[in-house]
Amino acid sequence: MRSVTALVTGLLLPSMGLEEEISGARAAAARYVDDGEEVIGVVPTEPREGGRVYLCAYRSDGDPSWIALNETGAPVVDRALVRDAVSIAAMCELAEECAGGGDLGELRARLLELRLTEQPEGIEEAEEAAAELQATIVAPPRVATLAYLDGLGRAAARLEQALGGVDGSSFAAAMKSGIAAADDLAAQVERAYKAVAPS
C-alpha cells in the first residue's frame, strides 16, 4: 500500500465527474488549516450507501493531520463513519495495487505472447479476464465505494480462475492481510483528526 501522502496526492488529477466536488471539499477543508499547514489532498469516499465523505489531509512541518467532511462541507463527528471512510479508501487502493499481480499491462503482454507462440488452452479466456479487470480499475480520482471494491474483487477472481489458480486466491490473501494496514491508517487518522469527535 502506498504512503498516506502518495494516496491522497495521487487522487488530485482532474476528472469530469468529480472535479467540482473535490474542489468544493478542498475549499471547505481550507477553512480548518492551522498556521503553517496546507491541504495536500482530498479523497472522495462513500463508505455507506447514499452519502459521500471527503477525507482531507493536511501537511505541515510535523505529522499530517486529517478531517473528514460531509457533502455540505461540515466536519464528520461520527468516529465510526470516519473509520469506515478511511478503511474503504485504503482497501480500494490496495485492491487496485494487487489486482492481477500488480502489473496488468505486463500480464496482458505475457498472455498475448503466449497466445501467439504456444496457444495454450484457455488463453483467450485469460486475456478477456485480464482486459475486464483492467477496464474495471478507474483512473484517479474516483470515489472509493464498496461497490467498486466488490467489482474489483469479482474481476480479479475471474482472472485468477482463468489463469488456473487452484491453491487459493492471492488477491483475497492480499486483501485479508491489508485489513490490518487499513485499521492502522484509520487509527492514525483518528489520532490526528482536527475535529473533536464524540466517543
Side-chain angles (χ1 to χ4, degrees):
M1 193 179 302
R2 290 186 291 174
S3 69
V4 171
T5 301
L7 172 64
V8 294
T9 56
L11 297 177
L12 294 178
L13 301 175
S15 171
M16 290 306 294
L18 288 175
E19 184 176 1
E20 288 185 5
E21 285 186 36
I22 290 173
S23 177
R26 190 179 184 92
R31 297 195 304 258
Y32 301 97
V33 295
D34 293 326
D35 290 341
E37 274 188 337
E38 63 176 334
V39 181
I40 60 168
V42 176
V43 181
T45 73
E46 199 168 292
R48 301 174 188 170
E49 190 173 340
R52 292 277 169 89
V53 174
Y54 302 91
L55 294 173
C56 306
Y58 301 81
R59 179 174 52 207
S60 65
D61 291 337
D63 294 329
S65 58
W66 297 81
I67 198 166
L69 303 175
N70 64 21
E71 292 169 321
T72 68
V76 175
V77 296
D78 179 343
R79 286 186 180 183
L81 182 57
V82 173
R83 285 193 297 269
D84 289 348
V86 174
S87 294
I88 193 64
M91 295 306 285
C92 285
E93 173 78 10
L94 178 62
E96 290 169 339
E97 290 178 359
C98 295
D103 191 337
L104 279 169
E106 180 182 344
L107 174 62
R108 292 186 69 187
R110 285 174 36 215
L111 291 172
L112 174 61
E113 181 181 356
L114 279 172
R115 178 165 55 82
L116 294 175
T117 58
E118 300 179 28
Q119 297 182 342
E121 184 178 350
I123 189 66
E124 291 86 0
E125 182 184 354
E127 285 187 293
E128 288 175 9
E132 178 189 334
L133 177 55
Q134 193 163 44
T136 303
I137 297 174
V138 177
R142 47 89 183 114
V143 181
T145 68
L146 289 173
Y148 179 58
L149 185 59
D150 288 345
L152 288 172
R154 285 191 300 272
R158 180 185 173 211
L159 175 59
E160 287 182 334
Q161 290 171 357
L163 293 173
V166 293
D167 297 325
S169 167
S170 59
F171 177 81
M175 295 303 293
K176 185 175 180 180
S177 67
I179 292 173
D183 288 344
D184 286 345
L185 178 58
Q188 290 176 37
V189 170
E190 190 169 4
R191 285 193 301 269
Y193 196 69
K194 282 182 162 287
V196 178
S199 299

